[in-house]
Amino acid sequence: MAAVLGEAARAEALRRVPQWQAIRDGAALKRVFTFRDFSEAFGFMARVALLAEKMDHHPDWSNSYKRVEVELSTHSAGGLTERDFVLAEAMDRIAAG
């Protein structure tokens, strides 16, 4: 099982994903992605879903038209782990196209 990051490690990892914010007292990450339209948002979600399956690490997310709201946390560890930051970075790259 992945280890929950301590406060210093979490702060350092947050620098790698500046568009994400720590929520729930540092137990999760959150970001809202906004795309041109529903098709682009859904395509993003499909690409992330394939990666998430490979990683066996799945986001909590919702979609409304061109907006995708994402929360990441390693539920089995009870907080943020390196896996969350790796997935956040990958999602940023996918969104950037």
Side-chain angles (χ1 to χ4, degrees):
M1 175 167 56
V4 173
L5 297 175
E7 191 173 332
R10 187 174 59 240
E12 184 177 323
L14 274 166
R15 287 195 219 44
R16 297 180 357 222
V17 290
Q19 295 180 45
W20 293 78
Q21 63 181 3
I23 60 169
R24 290 191 265 134
D25 293 325
L29 292 176
K30 180 178 181 176
R31 179 169 176 198
V32 176
F33 293 89
T34 303
F35 298 94
R36 287 184 297 225
D37 54 30
F38 175 77
S39 180
E40 192 173 286
F42 193 84
F44 165 78
M45 291 178 77
R47 288 187 295 280
V48 171
L50 294 172
L51 175 62
E53 274 298 300
K54 259 187 184 173
M55 291 178 67
D56 192 28
H57 191 56
H58 305 91
D60 291 325
W61 57 10
S62 63
N63 165 246
S64 179
Y65 181 50
K66 63 181 184 175
R67 186 174 180 271
V68 179
E69 187 172 322
V70 181
E71 286 190 22
L72 298 176
S73 183
T74 303
H75 302 293
S76 61
L80 286 173
T81 68
E82 181 61 23
R83 298 180 78 205
D84 298 300
F85 289 94
V86 169
L87 184 54
E89 289 172 311
M91 292 175 84
D92 287 347
R93 284 191 301 275
I94 291 168

